[in-house]
């Protein structure tokens, strides 16, 4: 290929405007320059003049977008990147390909620039000193963004249209680029089929030749082939690790990375798509936090398993992880004991170990007279108390917060009257919010009616520095703790199904089943859920109100929920920023260019924000 690039060299010592040839349809013709000047000054041009000058509609659209971005053709100002870490694997792969073309680069009076998917220059290869000086003068150097939203029309538009693009002389939006031709080709990952960057060639305008673009296309083809080989190598590493671990087909084994999941038959029969998504999330956290110990997880069918994660890596790269899965066998079952598992709580769902412990404790105190249920706000304390009191008869819920509004005396009289009943149960809600004198009076009432036929339950939010629960705690024979949602995320799929059915009835849409897809469950599993099950129900209701499909994906979640599901913790204005971006993307139907326009920011800025905020949910695993 070195002979093909020899004509590029003109021997000129510097890049300067050439003598115009004034051919119709060429960017150096008088008609072309006149129409360009009018359009860039006014934003419009006569259609007949545009056609006569041979200006394509694609080029005109790019100029129009450049003006809309607020760019100035007379004073281009390339945008400095935010300094994020470069994709070293991408750079190394391209470097290896271009090293083989060293002789061609030496002969060619041109320069090559590699960008990432956002248009940031990662690396440059320039052998011509004059061209190198020109690029530095124009600030077209590594860590600078050169996509359309940053410098206007140039070969960077290949990142926007996904096609090889060649921009000659005055076709560039910036006046200063009239002395060069740029040719750009997007680099598409052969496995993910996503644009991961671009390779751009810059040469003097007088050296313009169709060979320019074809040469860059050939280089990109070699780069993509190298990525194919790299991906194949990672898959082989992952497969080798899987085969090395899969010595006993009786035990479930999973090997996975961001593109592949390999399972043996035992694991395939055991895991649903939701289970796979949660395993991916577990592997991501285990690798990030370097956790080598086993962790208990509950599959969607209620099976409790122990999962141990082992990263598959060599000195240069990570190929994924191998997960060894072992079902957790109940000790009673192993010893042959006839003790049955604790029954669930009527109307409530959950199969995780913490929820099972709660159910077991609830069954053990089924015959006791008074029970205090503690837990975080929204964790379902009243629901648990109601389920436990279900066989006692009518259930009366008395809210301690009403004492402040109705008056302590009237509120105590209501409680006393309820405790005097003949059967049923009373649930004293939020007893930790009672004023101390009222709490003491309640304690006296509970002692007075201790031998009555009414079962008494109470709920409280446990607080170490609050005396109010302690004032009543001694009056209850048993204390149960409801686990927080973040401590029972294995129950998330079952909770989503149950809450969806409940919310669908409220909305009058219980005639059509709704299924939560794996990516949505995985996104929700990243939240801290400070409002617990109550907050989860609110999210479910919001989703159903705005979605009438039978399937809920991560893209259907509210913008603020997706922002909070970021792979890193967002604080302050970051959450506001993330919410605005997600809402704009949803309104634009996922079109990032349109979303950037609606937000009034450059497309490259939008990409950087999505990446830095960690809100791109299109990648399920690492």
């Amino acid at each position: 290929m070195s002979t093909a690039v020899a004509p590029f060299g003109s021997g000129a010592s510097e890049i300067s405007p050439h003598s115009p040839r004034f051919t119709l349809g060429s960017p150096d013709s008088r008609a072309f320059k006149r129409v360009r000047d009018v359009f860039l000054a006014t934003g419009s041009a006569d259609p007949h003049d545009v056609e006569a000058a041979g200006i394509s509609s694609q080029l005109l659209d790019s100029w129009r977008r450049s003006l809309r971005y607020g760019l100035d053709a007379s004073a281009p100002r390339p945008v400095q990147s935010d300094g994020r870490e470069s994709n070293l694997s991408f750079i190394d792969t391209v470097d290896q390909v271009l090293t083989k073309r060293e002789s061609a680069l030496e002969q060619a009076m041109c320069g090559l620039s590699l960008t990432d998917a956002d248009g940031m220059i990662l690396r440059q290869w320039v052998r011509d000193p004059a061209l190198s000086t020109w690029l530095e003068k124009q600030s077209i150097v590594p860590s600078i963004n050169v996509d359309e939203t940053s410098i206007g029309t140039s070969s960077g538009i290949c990142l926007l249209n996904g096609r090889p693009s060649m921009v000659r002389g005055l076709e560039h939006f910036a006046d200063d680029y009239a002395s060069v031709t740029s040719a750009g080709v997007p680099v598409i990952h052969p496995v993910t089929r996503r644009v991961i960057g671009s390779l751009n060639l810059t040469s003097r305008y007088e050296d313009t030749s169709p060979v320019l673009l074809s040469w860059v296309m050939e280089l990109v083809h070699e780069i993509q082939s190298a990525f194919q080989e790299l991906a194949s190598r990672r898959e082989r590493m992952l497969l080798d690790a899987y085969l090395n671990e899969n010595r006993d087909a009786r035990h479930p084994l999973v090997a996975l990375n961001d593109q592949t999941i390999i399972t043996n038959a035992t694991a395939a029969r055991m895991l649903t798509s939701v289970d796979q998504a949660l395993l991916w999330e577990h592997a991501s956290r285990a690798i990030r936090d370097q956790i080598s110990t086993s962790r208990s997880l509950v599959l969607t069918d209620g099976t409790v398993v122990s999962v141990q994660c082992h990263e598959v890596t060599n000195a240069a790269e990570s190929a994924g992880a191998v997960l060894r899965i072992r079902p957790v066998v109940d000790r009673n079952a192993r010893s042959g004991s006839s003790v049955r598992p604790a029954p669930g709580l009527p109307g409530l769902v959950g199969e995780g170990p913490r929820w099972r412990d709660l159910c077991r404790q609830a069954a053990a105190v089924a015959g006791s007279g008074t029970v205090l249920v503690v837990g975080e706000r929204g964790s379902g304390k009243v629901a648990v108390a109601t389920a436990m009191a279900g066989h006692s008869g009518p259930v009366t819920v008395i809210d301690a917060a009403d004492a402040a509004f109705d008056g302590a005396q009237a509120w105590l009289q209501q409680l006393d009257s309820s405790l005097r009943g003949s059967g049923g149960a009373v649930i004293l809600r939020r007893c930790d919010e009672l004023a101390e004198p009222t709490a003491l009076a309640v304690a006296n009432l509970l002692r007075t009616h201790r031998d009555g036929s009414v079962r008494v339950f109470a709920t409280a939010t446990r607080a170490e520095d609050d005396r109010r629960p302690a004032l009543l705690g001694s009056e209850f024979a048993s204390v149960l703790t409801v686990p927080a949602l973040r401590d029972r995320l294995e129950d998330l799929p079952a909770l989503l199904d149950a809450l969806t059915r409940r919310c669908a009835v409220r909305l009058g849409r219980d005639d059509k089943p709704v299924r939560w897809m794996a990516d949505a469950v995985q996104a929700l599993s990243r939240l801290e859920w400070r409002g617990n099950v109550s907050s989860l129900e609110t999210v479910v209701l919001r989703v159903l109100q705005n979605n009438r499909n039978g399937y809920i994906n991560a893209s259907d979640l509210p913008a603020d929920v997706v922002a909070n599901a970021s792979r890193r913790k967002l604080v302050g204005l970051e959450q506001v920023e993330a919410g605005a971006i997600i809402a704009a993307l949803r309104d634009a139907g996922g079109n990032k260019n349109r979303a950037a326009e609606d937000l009034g920011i450059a497309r490259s800025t939008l990409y950087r924000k999505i990446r830095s905020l960690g809100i791109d949910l299109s990648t399920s695993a690492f």
Side-chain angles (χ1 to χ4, degrees):
M1 196 65 200
S2 58
T3 56
V5 298
F8 298 172
S10 66
S13 60
E14 62 177 330
I15 294 181
S16 58
H18 55 281
S19 301
R21 289 176 288 182
F22 304 123
T23 57
L24 186 64
S26 171
D28 56 2
S29 70
R30 286 195 177 95
F32 188 100
K33 187 177 187 306
R34 183 172 60 252
V35 174
R36 177 184 182 275
D37 291 344
V38 171
F39 187 88
L40 297 186
T42 65
S44 63
D46 186 281
H48 297 293
D49 293 340
V50 170
E51 183 178 358
I55 300 175
S56 68
S57 59
Q58 293 85 357
L59 181 60
L60 208 63
D61 287 341
S62 180
W63 287 350
R64 185 178 292 109
R65 290 193 301 267
S66 300
L67 291 173
R68 195 181 303 148
Y69 299 143
L71 302 178
D72 185 352
S74 63
R77 295 180 180 178
V79 179
Q80 177 73 38
S81 173
D82 56 9
R84 65 179 180 272
E85 293 184 3
S86 300
N87 189 332
L88 297 180
S89 175
F90 184 24
I91 296 174
D92 289 343
T93 302
V94 177
D95 205 17
Q96 292 172 15
V97 171
L98 294 186
T99 298
K100 301 176 184 178
R101 300 299 190 102
E102 194 71 30
S103 59
L105 289 174
E106 291 291 348
Q107 297 179 48
M109 309 298 287
C110 63
L112 290 172
S113 299
L114 176 70
T115 80
D116 63 9
D118 299 342
M120 183 186 78
I121 298 179
L122 301 175
R123 181 81 185 273
Q124 282 185 321
W125 296 263
V126 186
R127 299 293 186 267
D128 181 2
L131 181 60
S132 178
T133 300
W134 184 88
L135 290 170
E136 291 180 6
K137 183 179 179 181
Q138 302 300 326
S139 297
I140 303 178
V141 294
S143 80
I144 294 296
N145 277 78
V146 291
D147 72 329
E148 186 188 66
T149 62
S150 301
I151 64 173
T153 308
S154 73
S155 61
I157 61 176
C158 69
L159 290 171
L160 183 62
N161 58 34
R163 300 189 300 272
S165 301
M166 187 170 179
V167 180
R168 308 164 297 166
L170 287 173
E171 289 179 342
H172 290 90
F173 177 78
D175 298 338
D176 289 348
Y177 304 162
S179 58
V180 299
T181 288
S182 59
V185 179
V187 180
I188 300 174
H189 197 287
V191 177
T192 65
R193 306 309 301 168
R194 293 180 181 175
V195 174
I196 58 175
S198 68
L199 189 64
N200 299 267
L201 180 148
T202 304
S203 74
R204 295 174 178 80
Y205 176 74
E206 53 264 32
D207 293 333
T208 299
S209 164
V211 179
L212 287 173
L213 190 58
S214 63
W215 187 49
V216 182
M217 291 172 65
E218 183 179 337
L219 291 176
V220 169
H221 177 73
E222 288 190 32
I223 292 169
Q224 292 176 164
S225 297
F227 266 107
Q228 181 71 59
E229 173 62 26
L230 177 62
S232 300
R233 186 167 65 247
R234 291 181 71 228
E235 301 308 314
R236 286 197 298 270
M237 286 175 58
L238 191 66
L239 179 60
D240 289 343
Y242 165 80
L243 293 174
N244 186 55
E245 294 287 344
N246 192 34
R247 300 190 183 102
D248 187 348
R250 295 174 300 173
H251 297 299
L253 185 72
V254 176
L256 54 82
N257 59 25
D258 52 345
Q259 298 299 324
T260 304
I261 181 167
I262 307 171
T263 70
N264 58 12
T266 307
R269 288 192 294 267
M270 177 183 292
L271 303 174
T272 67
S273 60
V274 173
D275 293 328
Q276 292 177 11
L278 294 178
L279 283 174
W280 286 357
E281 197 65 26
H282 167 74
S284 174
R285 291 173 180 171
I287 291 175
R288 180 192 63 204
D289 300 334
Q290 298 183 340
I291 299 174
S292 58
T293 57
S294 299
R295 176 186 171 189
S296 292
L297 293 178
V298 181
L299 305 181
T300 51
D301 65 355
T303 303
V304 182
V305 296
S306 172
V307 180
Q308 186 172 28
C309 177
H310 170 66
E311 184 178 11
V312 179
T313 183
N314 58 22
E317 60 185 333
S318 173
V322 172
L323 304 180
R324 290 187 285 271
I325 303 173
R326 297 290 184 271
V328 177
V329 181
D330 187 88
R331 290 191 182 93
N332 292 323
R334 182 180 296 177
S335 63
S337 171
S338 60
V339 178
R340 294 182 179 180
L345 292 169
L348 304 181
V349 297
E351 290 294 340
R354 292 179 182 270
W355 184 257
R356 286 180 174 179
D357 286 344
L358 173 63
C359 293
R360 191 175 295 110
Q361 295 171 30
V365 302
S368 62
T370 55
V371 179
L372 175 62
V373 184
V374 299
E376 295 182 4
R377 294 186 184 278
S379 57
K381 299 182 294 295
V382 173
V384 169
T386 303
M388 292 179 65
H391 299 296
S392 304
V395 177
T396 302
V397 179
I398 299 179
D399 197 333
D402 293 338
F405 297 97
D406 301 338
Q409 192 62 36
W411 185 85
L412 287 168
Q413 288 177 356
Q414 179 191 6
L415 176 61
D416 183 42
S417 175
S418 298
L419 293 175
R420 292 178 183 276
S422 58
V426 170
I427 299 177
L428 178 57
R429 186 183 184 194
R430 294 188 281 205
C431 69
D432 51 329
E433 296 187 12
L434 290 170
E436 187 168 330
T438 308
L440 291 172
V442 170
N444 290 331
L445 284 176
L446 293 179
R447 284 192 292 270
T448 300
H449 299 287
R450 180 173 297 169
D451 297 327
S453 59
V454 177
R455 289 201 66 187
V456 179
F457 297 84
T459 68
T461 302
R462 184 182 293 277
E464 298 297 333
D465 57 347
D466 196 336
R467 288 186 64 247
R468 287 171 291 187
L471 292 173
L472 293 173
S474 60
E475 305 302 326
F476 292 91
S478 305
V479 179
L480 300 182
T481 301
V482 180
L485 178 55
R486 63 179 173 276
D487 294 328
R488 50 178 297 217
L489 288 176
E490 60 273 2
D491 292 333
L492 193 56
L495 286 169
L496 284 170
D497 289 340
L499 293 174
T500 299
R501 289 193 295 269
R502 182 193 300 178
C503 292
V505 171
R506 291 168 58 184
L507 296 172
R509 292 171 47 191
D510 54 330
D511 57 332
K512 182 179 180 181
V514 177
R515 181 182 176 189
W516 290 79
M517 305 305 290
D519 60 340
V521 177
Q522 184 177 10
L524 293 175
S525 72
R526 297 183 193 143
L527 301 180
E528 294 186 7
W529 294 112
R530 297 192 180 277
N532 293 290
V533 178
S534 178
S535 294
L536 179 62
E537 183 173 9
T538 300
V539 170
V540 171
L541 185 61
R542 290 173 61 188
V543 170
L544 293 183
Q545 287 173 335
N546 297 289
N547 186 295
R548 294 192 174 274
N549 298 324
Y551 297 90
I552 305 298
N553 297 291
S555 59
D556 298 316
L557 300 175
D560 58 316
V561 173
V562 177
N564 288 326
S566 166
R567 292 188 177 274
R568 69 177 181 83
K569 184 176 178 59
L570 303 181
V571 296
L573 290 177
E574 286 185 328
Q575 287 188 342
V576 178
E577 205 170 36
I581 289 174
I582 294 163
L585 286 170
R586 182 165 294 124
D587 293 342
N591 186 311
K592 291 184 174 68
N593 192 51
R594 210 176 92 201
E597 292 182 6
D598 293 342
L599 290 168
I601 61 176
R603 178 172 171 268
S604 57
T605 301
L606 176 64
Y607 273 104
R608 287 197 299 274
K609 290 292 184 183
I610 290 174
R611 181 176 296 179
S612 65
L613 293 172
I615 56 177
D616 186 359
L617 299 182
S618 59
T619 300
S620 300
F622 310 130

